[in-house]
Amino acid sequence: VVDDRRTGLLATPLDAVAFADSIECLARDTDLRKKMGTEAVEHVQHNFTLDIAVEKTIRIYESLWSN
């Protein structure tokens, strides 16, 4: 769901320093926060609609049915 530096920031799992660095980056950069927030909303609105969820669910059931 997260596209690094486009819709959010990714940090190395279990790396407290990387996580803190990402938080600090967002805390210091208002423009980046706004840009990523806008991009994230657009990404969700275009890729996670009810129609898309239903279509993907049907495909899963169809693939299970055919096996």
Side-chain angles (χ1 to χ4, degrees), residues 4-67:
D4 195 29
R5 301 205 62 82
R6 185 175 155 256
T7 61
L9 297 178
L10 296 177
T12 304
L14 304 175
D15 184 340
V17 173
F19 190 67
D21 288 345
S22 293
I23 292 171
E24 183 178 6
C25 176
L26 290 174
R28 292 179 185 272
D29 194 335
T30 303
D31 292 337
L32 180 62
R33 284 195 315 270
K34 289 179 182 179
K35 177 182 171 280
M36 287 194 308
T38 299
E39 291 281 337
V41 169
E42 289 175 6
H43 179 71
V44 168
Q45 289 174 336
H46 289 103
N47 295 290
F48 297 96
T49 65
L50 181 58
D51 289 339
I52 291 171
V54 168
E55 181 182 317
K56 287 181 179 181
T57 301
I58 289 171
R59 273 194 259 142
I60 289 169
Y61 280 113
E62 287 174 343
S63 73
L64 294 172
W65 182 263
S66 65
N67 288 333

